[in-house]
Amino acid sequence: MTYVTRQGETLRTTSAKPRPIPAQFTLQQREFVEAVRASGRHLVLRATAGSGKTTTLTEAAWHLGSESGGSDVKGVYFAYNKHSVEAVGPRLPPGIRASTLHAYGRRVLCGVRGPQMALDNDRSLRLAELVYSSEPVSRRQLRGAARMWDLAREYVLNEDSHDDDLVALAADAEWPENDGVAGLRRVLRAFRYHSIQDWHAGGLPDFTDFLWLPLELGLGRGTLGAALVDEAQDLTPLRQRFVTHLLGLESGEAQEALPTGRFIAVGDPEQAIYTYAGADPRGLWRLAERLSAQELPLSVSFRCPVTHVALARTASEFIQPSGAAQAGTVEHVAADAAHYGRGDVVLCRLNAPLLRLALLLMTRHISVNIRGRDLATRLETAAQEAFAVPADEEAVPDRVAALYERRARPLQYRAGEGDRAAKKALGELNDLCSCLRLLALRAAASAGGKATLSSVSGVLRGLYREDADVLLSTVHRAKGLEWERVTLLYPEQMPMPYGDPEEERCVLFVALTRSKRELRLAYGPGAWESGWRLEAPEGWQPESGPSTSPQPQPAPPPIFSFPPLAPPLPSALVLPPKPYRLPVTRPLPAVPPSSAALTEHALRVRAVHRPATLEDLRPYPLYSGQANLPVAVLAARLEVLRQDARPALSEWAGASLALLRDVQSRSVYLDVMRLAQVERAATRARLAIPLMQPLTAEQVCTVVFGEHFARLRPAQVKRRGERNWRVELDGEAHAFDPRTGELLGTPFAPFAVHLRLER
C-alpha cells in the first residue's frame, strides 16, 4: 500500500494485488467479508457484545464491490457519534468516508445553502408560533406543540398517518391539546407547510432537519453506492428512511428510475437500549426483510471471559465465548461492604444510587467522575426551579417533593390508565428528584445550612473530576465501552418494573458484558439478606469447542426469592406517591399506671407482633402457608408485581394487596414459595428472548416458558371472538381469554403459556 499527500489529506491507494482477509478472523467474520465482496446483496450482520463488529465492518469496506480486494464504490460508513467517526475514519479505504448521519445530512443541505449554514436550535418553537399565530395559546402549549413536531419527524409521522400512530404520538409528546386526532392532523399539516416555507425563505434548520428536509425536498436521493451502518439497532425510523433515501431504495412519486445502492448494516438486537429516544430495533429487521437482506451472525465475544458470557446468557442466548477466552471472575458482594479504588468502574441502572455512592466516596477522599454531563444539566435546571429561593436543610425534602408533584401531575393519570411510557417517565422523575435531594442536603450541610442553585452546582462540580479514581456510569452511558474491572451496583434493579420488557432485558445484557476480566455484583440490603443472586443458566457449556481455559462449573438455577426492587434509600430520599399505602398502626400509648390498663396494653402489643392469618379462597392462594413475612416487605413485593404487564399476574397481586389492607399486625402468614414462583415467572417474562421477525396480521405473540428462561413465540390466530381467541401454537390448538391473555378454563398459573398483550 502507498500513501500520497494532497492538500493536507492523506490518501491511500491499493495495488492490484487482492487484499487478503486477516488471518485472525473467525469463520463468521470471514463469511461476512466474503459476502460483502462477492454476493452483491444487502446484508445485516447480527453482532454480539465484544465481537469485533467495528473491525469486521471496516475490513469489509476494503472488499466492497470488488473481488480484487480494493473498494471501488462510493459509499459512507455511518457511525453513531463523532467519536466513533474519528476512530474508524483512518481505517477506511479510499472512496469510503466516515460520518454520522446528521453530519452527512447537513452536508447535503449545505450543497443548497453553502458551507457556512448555521443551526437554529429553537426552530420548532419558532414554527409553533407561526402555527398558532391566530390563536391565543400559552407558552406551555407552544412548547408542547414543538415537542410533538420533533417527535413526529423522528417517527416519520404526518397528517396522513394512521389514527393509532397519532394517538401514540400525542401521548409520547404530552401534547396539551384535547381536540383529538383531527386536531393533531391539522397541526401536523400546518407544521409541515410552515417548515418548508421557512426553509425556502432562508430559515435555518435544526438538528432533526438535517435528515428530515432532504427527505421532504428530495435532496441526495440515490447518490450513494453503499451505506455501511454501525449500531443499526439504534436507528430511529427517520434515520432508517434517510439511509434508504440516499441509496435510492425508497420509492418516490413521478421520479425517474435511479441506480440503487447497497445497504450493509451491523447491529445487535440484544443491545437495543435507546427505544426511549425513538430507536426502533425491530424496524431494522423489518427493513431487512423488505430489502430481502441476508442476515449473518457474529456471535463470538472476544471481550468477555467465559464466566461473564455464562451470566450474560440469562439475557441473551446468542452470545458465545471465544476459544481463547479466559475464565474471568464473577464475585457476589453486599453493596454496603464493597470497597473501591483507583481504576474501578461502577455501573447502575439508575442515577441516584450512583450519585449517593459518589458523595460517599468523596468523603473518603476518593475522587469520582460521573459519566455524562446531561445529568448535571437536568439537575441544575431542577435546582433552579426548586431552590430559586434558598432553603434550609429541613425544608429541602418539601421543596423536592413539591417539584416532583408539579412535574408528575400530568403523568399520573396516564400511568394509572396503564400507559407504560408514563410509568417510565414517573420512575425517571423519581430518580432525578432523589439525586436532587441528595445534592441539596449535601449542599445545605456544607454551605451554611442553605441549599441554593449556587451551592448545589458547587457540589455537582466535584462529581466530574478528570482522571478520577473511580468512574461511575449508568448502563445506558456505558454502551459500547469496556473496562478491566466493573462493579454492577444493585443488579436486582433490573429489569425495572415500569420499563419496556424487551429494552430492560437488553439493559441487563449490556451491563453484564462491559468487563474484560473482573465482574462484581453488589446487591442492596434486601436482596443480599434474602439470598437473591443473579446466576448463570444451569448446565450451559460454550459451543466454541474445547479450550485450554478453565471452564466454569454449572451454576445453580437462578434463585428469585426476592423481586427486582430498587435498594431502600434513606427515608429522607424516598419520594411520593406510593400507589399502595399500608394501614397505619397507631402509636402505642405510654404504659398507664393501672394493672388493667397495663394488661390491655400488653395484649395490644402482642397482637401487633403476632403474624396475621388471612382467609384466601382463590384458586392460586397466597395466604395459605406457615411462613411469615413483614407486611411492609410483602406489600412492596406485591406492588412490583401489580405493575406487571401481564394482566392476570397484575390482578393476582392486586387481589393479594386488597386482602392485606386490613391487617393490623406487623407480619402475615403466607406461602412464600408461591410468591417466589410468581416473581420468578414475572422476571423471566420481562427478560424473554424476543421475536426476531415481525408478526403478520394473522399472528399473535405468546410467552412460552422453558426450564430457566422464557421465549416469545409467534402463534397463528384461527379465530378472534369477543370472549375467546382460537390460536394454534406448534401445531396445537389453544383457547385464550382476549382480556387477560390466559388459557381459558384454567386457573391462574405463573408459568403457563399466555399471550403478550399491550397495556
Side-chain angles (χ1 to χ4, degrees):
M1 181 180 299
T2 60
Y3 291 81
V4 179
T5 301
R6 185 185 66 194
Q7 295 181 353
E9 288 184 295
T10 301
L11 306 177
R12 285 159 295 181
T13 62
T14 59
S15 63
K17 184 179 179 180
R19 178 184 175 95
I21 299 175
Q24 72 273 19
F25 267 28
T26 65
L27 178 61
Q28 290 180 341
Q29 289 175 304
R30 286 178 172 273
E31 288 178 346
F32 177 69
V33 173
E34 289 169 355
V36 169
R37 181 164 59 188
S39 75
R41 295 183 60 182
H42 303 301
L43 300 173
V44 172
L45 181 66
R46 181 186 178 191
T48 195
S51 60
K53 60 181 178 59
T54 300
T55 298
T56 306
L57 190 57
T58 53
E59 176 63 30
W62 286 89
H63 302 262
L64 183 62
S66 174
E67 296 191 11
S68 66
S71 176
D72 57 2
V73 175
K74 180 186 177 184
V76 176
Y77 184 116
F78 287 114
Y80 193 75
N81 54 44
K82 63 180 181 180
H83 302 293
S84 299
V85 168
E86 293 169 357
V88 303
R91 300 159 61 182
L92 296 172
I96 305 291
R97 69 166 61 208
S99 175
T100 64
L101 285 164
H102 288 85
Y104 196 86
R106 182 184 185 279
R107 182 167 172 263
V108 171
L109 293 181
C110 284
V112 178
R113 282 290 177 84
Q116 303 304 317
M117 183 184 66
L119 182 70
D120 180 4
N121 289 316
D122 295 322
R123 187 172 193 251
S124 291
L125 187 60
R126 184 164 54 81
L127 292 176
E129 293 172 348
L130 293 174
V131 170
Y132 288 96
S133 59
S134 61
E135 302 177 39
V137 294
S138 66
R139 198 69 177 170
R140 175 177 173 271
Q141 287 174 302
L142 289 176
R143 292 191 178 279
R147 184 169 58 248
M148 181 273 298
W149 177 238
D150 290 339
L151 287 177
R153 286 177 293 163
E154 204 65 57
Y155 296 158
V156 195
L157 297 176
N158 54 42
E159 64 270 19
D160 298 323
S161 299
H162 193 279
D163 282 4
D164 292 346
D165 293 331
L166 295 183
V167 169
L169 169 65
D172 288 347
E174 300 175 30
W175 193 48
E177 300 293 338
N178 56 7
D179 50 352
V181 171
L184 183 55
R185 291 187 192 279
R186 175 182 58 81
V187 172
L188 284 173
R189 187 180 300 110
F191 261 109
R192 182 179 179 277
Y193 171 80
H194 286 294
S195 182
I196 300 297
Q197 292 299 312
D198 180 75
W199 168 260
H200 288 311
L204 297 175
D206 63 13
F207 191 67
T208 306
D209 280 331
F210 289 164
L211 307 185
W212 184 80
L213 280 172
L215 289 176
E216 289 293 313
L217 302 173
L219 303 175
R221 180 187 290 126
T223 55
L224 279 188
L228 297 98
V229 185
D230 203 351
E231 301 289 1
Q233 77 281 348
D234 294 327
L235 296 181
T236 64
L238 175 62
R239 298 177 191 195
Q240 288 187 26
R241 284 281 300 277
F242 181 69
V243 172
T244 54
H245 170 81
L246 295 175
L247 294 171
L249 297 174
E250 290 288 341
S251 60
E253 295 181 4
Q255 66 176 24
E256 296 180 1
L258 293 172
T260 57
R262 195 173 175 197
F263 177 76
I264 300 174
V266 176
D268 184 9
E270 315 291 4
Q271 298 185 70
I273 63 174
Y274 294 127
T275 56
Y276 68 90
D280 182 15
R282 291 187 181 181
L284 171 63
W285 308 107
R286 288 194 293 269
L287 176 61
E289 183 180 23
R290 181 167 64 81
L291 298 178
S292 299
Q294 179 183 0
E295 181 184 336
L296 293 167
L298 202 61
S299 60
V300 176
S301 176
F302 299 101
R303 173 195 302 153
C304 301
V306 177
T307 49
H308 300 191
V309 169
L311 197 60
R313 286 177 65 84
T314 59
S316 167
E317 288 190 313
F318 182 66
I319 189 172
Q320 292 286 341
S322 73
Q326 299 298 310
T329 61
V330 176
E331 183 183 4
H332 302 270
V333 300
D336 292 342
H339 295 279
Y340 301 94
R342 186 161 186 82
D344 277 320
V345 175
V346 185
L347 306 182
C348 188
R349 177 65 179 83
L350 296 174
N351 287 295
L354 288 174
L355 193 142
R356 184 180 174 196
L357 175 61
L359 294 173
L360 176 63
L361 292 177
M362 288 172 63
T363 65
R364 299 173 180 174
H365 306 290
I366 298 175
S367 60
V368 298
N369 183 15
I370 297 180
R371 181 173 171 78
R373 293 279 181 170
D374 58 316
L375 175 64
T377 301
R378 290 188 293 131
L379 284 170
E380 286 184 337
T381 301
Q384 188 172 14
E385 182 178 344
F387 303 112
V389 176
D392 57 32
E393 191 170 345
E394 292 183 356
V396 164
D398 291 338
R399 291 284 187 89
V400 177
L403 171 69
Y404 177 90
E405 290 294 341
R406 284 195 300 274
R407 294 192 176 186
R409 197 171 297 118
L411 300 169
Q412 288 170 339
Y413 176 78
R414 287 167 46 200
E417 293 293 313
D419 187 320
R420 190 184 298 279
K423 290 181 180 180
K424 184 174 182 178
L426 282 173
E428 292 169 348
L429 176 61
N430 189 76
D431 184 39
L432 180 72
C433 288
S434 295
C435 290
L436 180 61
R437 185 172 295 183
L438 282 164
L439 287 172
L441 290 173
R442 172 61 63 89
S446 59
K450 295 289 185 181
T452 65
L453 174 60
S454 176
S455 62
V456 170
S457 297
V459 177
L460 263 177
R461 284 192 293 273
L463 300 174
Y464 294 89
R465 296 280 300 275
E466 296 296 333
D467 192 32
D469 295 323
V470 178
L471 176 67
L472 303 102
S473 173
T474 61
V475 179
H476 282 84
R477 296 190 191 99
K479 183 175 177 291
L481 303 176
E482 59 183 28
W483 299 275
E484 292 291 327
R485 302 195 310 273
V486 173
T487 297
L488 180 55
L489 186 62
Y490 304 143
E492 64 271 19
Q493 290 181 337
M494 296 181 284
M496 298 297 291
Y498 55 71
D500 175 78
E502 187 170 332
E503 183 180 0
E504 292 297 317
R505 180 183 61 82
C506 295
V507 172
L508 176 61
F509 178 73
V510 169
L512 296 174
T513 54
R514 297 307 97 193
S515 172
K516 299 193 291 183
R517 183 163 53 89
E518 300 174 18
L519 177 62
R520 182 169 59 170
L521 305 178
Y523 301 85
W528 180 255
E529 292 169 6
S530 70
W532 188 92
R533 303 292 181 268
L534 183 63
E535 301 284 1
E538 183 178 8
W540 172 79
Q541 292 293 330
E543 298 176 1
S544 55
S547 170
T548 57
S549 303
Q551 298 297 326
Q553 296 299 315
I559 304 171
F560 290 102
S561 58
F562 199 82
L565 286 172
L569 294 172
S571 57
L573 300 180
V574 178
L575 290 170
K578 294 182 178 179
Y580 174 75
R581 298 186 181 277
L582 293 171
V584 179
T585 304
R586 294 178 180 176
L588 299 176
V591 178
S594 68
S595 59
L598 182 63
T599 301
E600 182 181 352
H601 173 73
L603 290 174
R604 285 199 304 271
V605 171
R606 187 178 303 170
V608 168
H609 286 276
R610 182 184 298 121
T613 301
L614 296 178
E615 184 178 12
D616 192 347
L617 303 178
R618 295 175 294 171
Y620 196 79
L622 174 63
Y623 304 104
S624 58
Q626 296 304 309
N628 66 78
L629 202 65
V631 170
V633 172
L634 176 60
R637 294 170 70 169
L638 289 173
E639 179 55 39
V640 172
L641 294 172
R642 192 178 69 84
Q643 299 180 45
D644 197 86
R646 182 178 174 185
L649 192 154
S650 176
E651 291 172 5
W652 180 87
S656 300
L657 279 169
L659 290 171
L660 196 62
R661 283 198 177 95
D662 295 329
V663 172
Q664 298 299 317
S665 177
R666 293 182 179 178
S667 61
V668 62
Y669 286 114
L670 77 159
D671 186 340
V672 71
M673 295 304 297
R674 178 155 289 184
L675 176 62
Q677 285 181 333
V678 178
E679 291 169 343
R680 189 158 57 246
T683 301
R684 287 186 187 174
R686 294 188 194 118
L687 299 176
I689 299 169
L691 295 167
M692 294 310 301
Q693 298 294 335
L695 295 172
T696 67
E698 298 304 321
Q699 288 181 321
V700 68
C701 182
T702 62
V703 181
V704 179
F705 290 92
E707 185 176 359
H708 299 298
F709 59 89
R711 184 188 299 274
L712 302 185
R713 298 283 303 279
Q716 202 71 19
V717 179
K718 297 299 183 181
R719 178 181 179 276
R720 297 179 188 263
E722 291 186 4
R723 298 187 178 183
N724 70 80
W725 285 7
R726 293 287 176 182
V727 175
E728 185 176 290
L729 177 64
D730 294 333
E732 295 185 9
H734 302 275
F736 290 97
D737 184 334
R739 185 186 68 84
T740 64
E742 302 293 319
L743 289 168
L744 280 173
T746 60
F748 168 68
F751 292 103
V753 59
H754 60 277
L755 303 182
R756 170 66 66 88
L757 301 176
E758 296 295 333
R759 289 188 70 183

